[in-house]
Amino acid sequence: MPPSPDAPHHEGRHAIAAQAEPPADMRSPAATVSALSQAEPFAPPSAAAWLNLLKRHSRLPMAILEPQTLQLQFANQCFCQTVGIAESAIVASGDSGIGLLDMLLPDEQTRVQQILQHHLLQAILAYLYPQRSLLPARLLEEPVILSCRQTQSELLCKVELRLSSECLKVQALSPDLEQPLRQCLGRQPTLEHVMAQLYETESPLWICLQQLQHHPYRVTGFLLLEGTEVTERETINTLVQLLIGRESVLQPHKFSRANELMRGLFRAADSLIMSAENEQAKLFTDLDQSKWQVHSYSVESLQTSLFLKAAERGTVLNIPDLSAVTLTPCEQSIADRGARSLLIIPLVTKSIHSGSMARRLLGLVGMASDRAYAFDNRDVHNATTLVPALTAAMRYTTQDRFTNIHSSVRWRFEEEAERRSWGLPPEPIAFTDVYPLYGISDIRGSSSERNRAIQSDLLAQFELALSIIEAVCSTKPYAFAQQFRLDLLSHVEKIKQGITVDAEVTFIRYLSENLEPNFDYFARCSPAAAAAVAAYRDACDNEQQCVYTARSIYDKTIQRINNLLRDTWTRWQENMQAITRHYCDVEATDGIDHMLYVGKSIDPGFSPFQLRSLRYEQLRAVCDCGRVAFHLKETCDTHLEVTHLVLVQDSTVDISHDEATERLFEVRGSRDTRYEIVKKRIDKAVDTQGRQRITQPGMLTIVYSTADEWNEYRQYLHYLHREGWVEDTIEQGLVEPLQGVNGLKFARVRILPPSDE
């Protein structure tokens, strides 16, 4: 079609050319070259456009500083966003009023001032000796790490900054500054001469540099500040330093910090740890809480799990979407916590076995996100970088992983865990020649009180059962139903007569096997029977699946008393640990008992004076527990009372950790067996004359064997009386022989309430 006569001639020509030009993929090479050669040449942007490009679109923080005030004259968008200042603060005149040092932490300010001093020295040396290069380039290229908080990140943003002073020129120096500089440097200084004085404190050059701020000098030009965002790199470095420390995992505050950094680094909503021993795997969650949640799984149930897959591969595994894979119960529990994606970091070592290398799994660390596809290859790379440090941290907890090992002996467990991580044979964890200090605050009559609670609950449950059968018999007078009713009445009479050891289990089982399976039938017999069944079910609708009213009150009372006693003891433990580092184990059942071990094998600085101080402090702590027990009736609404006993032994024992038992330490050797026997039986001991318990409510009882032990503790009782803890009247007697133990004696004294009562 010919062009419109109204169209300009050049537009018509271009239109014809466009119609005649073949598609680009059908052109010959020569035609392509010809077309390119006829294109208009590229016009580079103006200087202003380049400046705008650097200011708006550069990913590197950049700023220009006034050399003497260090105020920002220019800053690009990336710099402003990184340090958290508004772009509008950098006015066109360059007078922003924002100084570099104002954005730094105190230690960062010191570092920047040192680097600035080197740059200024470079300019001064160029002014004094223009033909010489007197400072190494590396000295002027030293970076400084700037820390700043960004609201969109959980991590503290880190930026590595470098200063450039090529545009800095010294125009004039004060004579009071120039003359000393020339004197200390000489007419022809060398680089070695300058560096030797620069790093020598109180050298002439060093003194001159300290005087720079007090003498006038004139400079022109500016300082260029360039940076790189290094948050991930610095976070990883900090993590490595935390993890490779000997107590990085076992110290709660260090683990909390490491966990916080890990979650921030991977932008994770949750974190978890898995360990495996033999056929049992444990999953630890709620790592940001003081008490972790522990979930146990059999290794067999994990055969198809993502965790086992990561362990077998020995590499970091990224699961982008948990909803797209088949989950084992273990992984499902993680998904139920809100996880959508998962990053699994397996920690393995290599142990030598008969000349071949075999992998040994120490554990797995997991980072979970509540978003699908939250982790990428960069996260996998960062996780891989952390594997050696995480593995080193796990080595220290190989044998007693994440258990609450007392701080006084933790170092020995860490040593042994590290040995075994290198494939060395196990060695016993033992402490020799330690003094034992044992005491107990026992709730008197707790067994009888619990039996009364059991009796009350069983009677209530059987009364509910009788209501069901009687309602059934009123409409269905079957002979069998009548006999069943008589059986229930017989059981009620037995319960009223008293509770035996197995009664709680026996009677509940009787109802669960003979009454409860028939509830559906009973409920159909009559509305009254249905109501009785509903009442029974409602009363048993709890975790125990039985009437548990009186026992619940009892349990809460015992727990309340135990907590009061434990809190009191824990408060005193802080003072006792300050005397000398010692092992302390506290157990709470019906009351609390404590076991202390102290000696040179635990604290190398241990002395006899510290032993006597600790023994006296133990008595004061037990007396304070006694004072707490005076108020049980008011605080716990109970008539239960508490007795208090301290067992004395002046000879040492050896203790060792037995991995086959639940207790952390057991005494070893036949000579120490006697002490263990006494510990287990002494709270029920009676005196030989009155055949009454040697422990009495509101009193402190001391059990001993030798005259030397009594002389020492008689002095302690005198001190306690002088402090107002106990009365001055001391009751003494002999302990009736225990099985295998004879010759024990006791002293008993009444504990006094505080003087202000």
Side-chain angles (χ1 to χ4, degrees):
M1 179 181 295
S4 168
D6 297 328
H9 179 69
H10 68 274
E11 291 183 4
R13 184 175 67 249
H14 286 185
I16 294 171
Q19 291 176 6
E21 184 176 332
D25 57 353
M26 296 177 63
R27 296 177 188 167
S28 66
T32 302
V33 173
S34 175
L36 290 173
S37 65
Q38 295 176 10
E40 293 184 3
F42 170 74
S46 63
W50 283 122
L51 179 61
N52 186 66
L53 179 68
L54 293 174
K55 185 174 182 179
R56 299 294 178 194
H57 304 291
S58 174
R59 301 284 299 274
L60 300 179
M62 290 183 289
I64 292 177
L65 307 176
E66 198 282 324
Q68 290 186 290
T69 64
L70 299 183
Q71 288 191 353
L72 295 180
Q73 306 296 297
F74 166 85
N76 67 351
Q77 188 178 61
C78 182
F79 184 92
C80 294
Q81 291 176 346
T82 301
V83 302
I85 61 175
E87 287 186 77
S88 58
I90 313 298
V91 296
S93 63
D95 185 17
S96 66
I98 301 176
L100 173 65
L101 297 181
D102 298 334
M103 298 182 288
L104 304 178
L105 299 174
D107 57 337
E108 294 171 346
Q109 292 179 10
T110 302
R111 184 73 182 126
V112 166
Q113 287 172 331
Q114 291 174 345
I115 295 174
L116 284 168
Q117 194 175 71
H118 294 158
H119 282 271
L120 184 56
L121 176 60
Q122 166 74 359
I124 291 174
L125 292 175
Y127 170 77
L128 296 176
Y129 309 98
Q131 305 302 321
R132 296 178 178 274
S133 178
L134 298 177
L135 284 182
R138 283 178 59 86
L139 187 66
L140 302 175
E141 294 171 358
E142 288 186 85
V144 61
I145 303 297
L146 169 68
S147 302
C148 47
R149 176 68 67 181
Q150 293 182 329
T151 56
Q152 68 271 24
S153 173
E154 296 182 12
L155 294 176
L156 195 65
C157 180
K158 299 285 187 178
V159 183
E160 184 178 81
L161 297 174
R162 282 182 167 82
L163 278 169
S164 175
S165 58
E166 282 80 0
C167 298
L168 190 66
K169 303 293 181 184
V170 173
Q171 299 295 324
L173 284 176
S174 165
D176 293 337
L177 182 60
E178 182 175 344
Q179 185 177 358
L181 281 169
R182 290 190 181 276
Q183 286 178 350
C184 71
L185 294 173
R187 296 181 60 184
Q188 295 182 338
T190 63
L191 185 148
E192 290 78 10
H193 181 209
V194 173
M195 293 300 294
Q197 291 202 58
L198 184 62
Y199 286 115
E200 181 184 344
T201 305
E202 304 300 331
S203 69
L205 176 59
W206 188 89
I207 294 173
C208 289
L209 291 177
Q210 308 312 307
Q211 298 300 317
L212 280 175
Q213 58 183 336
H214 304 298
H215 296 283
Y217 58 91
R218 188 170 71 254
V219 296
T220 59
F222 57 85
L223 291 169
L224 175 62
L225 195 62
E226 298 174 294
T228 306
E229 202 267 332
V230 291
T231 305
E232 288 188 2
R233 187 194 74 187
E234 291 301 309
T235 301
I236 290 173
N237 289 341
T238 303
L239 270 168
V240 169
Q241 294 303 314
L242 279 171
L243 293 170
I244 64 176
R246 172 165 296 241
E247 297 181 345
S248 59
V249 172
L250 294 176
Q251 289 285 355
H253 68 281
K254 288 189 177 181
F255 177 84
S256 177
R257 174 60 177 154
N259 185 47
E260 177 186 1
L261 289 173
M262 287 278 289
R263 289 176 60 169
L265 177 64
F266 295 104
R267 309 164 312 286
D270 200 1
S271 56
L272 54 97
I273 292 173
M274 175 174 280
S275 67
E277 290 289 343
N278 299 322
E279 299 302 317
Q280 192 77 7
K282 291 184 178 180
L283 178 68
F284 300 87
T285 58
D286 291 335
L287 304 186
D288 56 343
Q289 303 297 319
S290 58
K291 185 176 182 180
W292 296 357
Q293 295 298 317
V294 184
H295 315 269
S296 298
Y297 302 93
S298 66
V299 173
E300 183 179 359
S301 70
L302 300 175
Q303 291 303 311
T304 60
S305 72
L306 301 170
F307 293 103
L308 196 61
K309 180 180 178 181
E312 290 174 346
R313 288 172 47 179
T315 57
V316 177
L317 183 61
N318 181 14
I319 312 300
D321 189 356
L322 287 174
S323 65
V325 296
T326 303
L327 304 179
T328 63
C330 176
E331 291 135 4
Q332 186 61 52
S333 68
I334 299 170
D336 291 342
R337 293 171 57 86
R340 289 289 310 281
S341 54
L342 192 62
L343 194 69
I344 304 175
I345 310 171
L347 309 178
V348 297
T349 59
K350 292 184 178 180
S351 302
I352 299 178
H353 298 292
S354 303
S356 62
M357 301 300 289
R359 287 186 184 276
R360 187 161 68 89
L361 180 68
L362 291 179
L364 301 112
V365 176
M367 309 306 299
S369 175
D370 53 6
R371 298 178 294 107
Y373 296 91
F375 306 112
D376 52 31
N377 289 338
R378 188 168 168 183
D379 293 311
V380 173
H381 172 76
N382 288 338
T384 303
T385 302
L386 285 170
V387 164
L390 288 168
T391 303
M394 291 287 277
R395 278 177 177 159
Y396 298 129
T397 57
T398 300
Q399 297 303 313
D400 288 87
R401 191 171 288 115
F402 311 115
T403 57
N404 187 23
I405 301 175
H406 197 271
S407 58
S408 63
V409 295
R410 181 184 293 137
W411 59 271
R412 180 64 188 88
F413 284 84
E414 292 169 355
E415 284 183 351
E416 180 61 15
E418 185 173 7
R419 287 184 68 263
R420 299 187 189 187
S421 72
W422 296 109
L424 298 175
E427 284 188 357
I429 298 175
F431 295 92
T432 59
D433 294 325
V434 293
Y435 290 91
L437 286 75
Y438 175 75
I440 181 170
S441 294
D442 183 53
I443 301 175
R444 177 65 58 85
S446 58
S447 298
S448 299
E449 189 69 17
R450 177 169 176 78
N451 285 341
R452 280 191 290 271
I454 294 172
Q455 184 182 46
S456 175
D457 285 341
L458 288 177
L459 285 173
Q461 189 164 345
F462 269 84
E463 290 296 336
L464 291 170
L466 275 170
S467 298
I468 297 172
I469 294 302
E470 288 173 351
V472 170
C473 289
S474 65
T475 56
K476 306 287 185 181
Y478 302 143
F480 181 79
Q482 295 290 345
Q483 291 299 317
F484 188 49
R485 175 180 173 275
L486 294 175
D487 282 349
L488 289 176
L489 289 171
S490 175
H491 282 96
V492 168
E493 290 303 316
K494 290 180 181 178
I495 294 172
K496 289 180 178 179
Q497 292 173 10
I499 297 297
T500 59
V501 175
D502 62 342
E504 184 175 12
V505 175
T506 301
F507 286 116
I508 295 298
R509 181 182 298 165
Y510 173 81
L511 292 176
S512 65
E513 293 177 354
N514 297 278
L515 176 75
E516 296 172 8
N518 302 303
F519 276 173
D520 291 341
Y521 169 74
F522 293 156
R524 294 195 301 269
C525 291
S526 68
V533 169
Y536 184 100
R537 283 175 165 164
D538 184 63
C540 298
D541 185 17
N542 51 51
E543 185 178 349
Q544 288 75 24
Q545 296 296 298
C546 62
V547 174
Y548 206 81
T549 305
R551 279 171 290 181
S552 177
I553 295 173
Y554 168 83
D555 291 344
K556 291 177 181 178
T557 301
I558 294 297
Q559 184 179 10
R560 173 66 174 156
I561 296 173
N562 285 345
N563 288 342
L564 289 170
L565 295 173
R566 183 191 287 272
D567 290 346
T568 304
W569 175 260
T570 300
R571 189 169 62 251
W572 281 86
Q573 246 299 288
E574 296 180 7
N575 298 332
M576 297 168 75
Q577 288 291 343
I579 295 174
T580 179
R581 187 173 72 243
H582 59 276
Y583 173 76
C584 175
D585 180 33
V586 180
E587 290 189 356
T589 51
D590 291 350
I592 67 167
D593 63 277
H594 62 266
M595 185 70 249
L596 311 183
Y597 293 113
V598 58
K600 283 186 175 295
S601 58
I602 295 177
D603 184 357
F606 172 76
S607 69
F609 184 83
Q610 289 171 305
L611 173 63
R612 294 173 68 88
S613 299
L614 189 63
R615 284 172 170 170
Y616 183 61
E617 204 70 8
Q618 177 196 20
L619 294 177
R620 298 176 78 222
V622 173
C623 287
D624 201 18
C625 289
R627 286 180 173 178
V628 169
F630 291 156
H631 304 284
L632 293 182
K633 187 174 182 63
E634 296 82 13
T635 58
C636 301
D637 189 24
T638 181
H639 60 272
L640 291 171
E641 295 179 302
V642 182
T643 64
H644 310 277
L645 178 145
V646 169
L647 177 61
V648 181
Q649 176 165 314
D650 198 33
S651 57
T652 61
V653 299
D654 297 339
I655 59 174
S656 62
H657 172 61
D658 187 350
E659 298 180 25
T661 65
E662 294 183 359
R663 295 186 65 86
L664 192 60
F665 288 111
E666 299 284 357
V667 296
R668 64 180 190 181
S670 57
R671 71 183 179 91
D672 303 327
T673 304
R674 178 180 183 271
Y675 187 76
E676 289 299 297
I677 294 175
V678 175
K679 275 173 51 182
K680 293 176 180 178
R681 300 172 181 170
I682 193 62
D683 63 313
K684 300 294 191 298
V686 298
D687 68 87
T688 55
Q689 286 190 334
R691 298 193 58 78
Q692 292 184 338
R693 289 276 190 92
I694 62 172
T695 56
Q696 293 296 321
M699 303 189 76
L700 167 65
T701 301
I702 298 173
V703 176
Y704 59 94
S705 299
T706 68
D708 289 340
E709 291 172 349
W710 168 237
N711 289 334
E712 179 180 341
Y713 275 80
R714 179 170 56 187
Q715 183 183 36
Y716 297 155
L717 292 178
H718 172 65
Y719 294 164
L720 289 174
H721 171 64
R722 194 157 62 186
E723 282 196 84
W725 287 104
V726 300
E727 291 182 349
D728 58 348
T729 303
I730 301 175
E731 303 174 12
Q732 291 184 265
L734 299 176
V735 179
E736 189 171 88
L738 304 174
Q739 184 178 354
V741 180
N742 298 315
L744 294 177
K745 308 174 183 64
F746 74 91
R748 190 168 57 210
V749 63
R750 185 164 299 281
I751 300 172
L752 294 173
S755 57
D756 58 350
E757 291 189 5

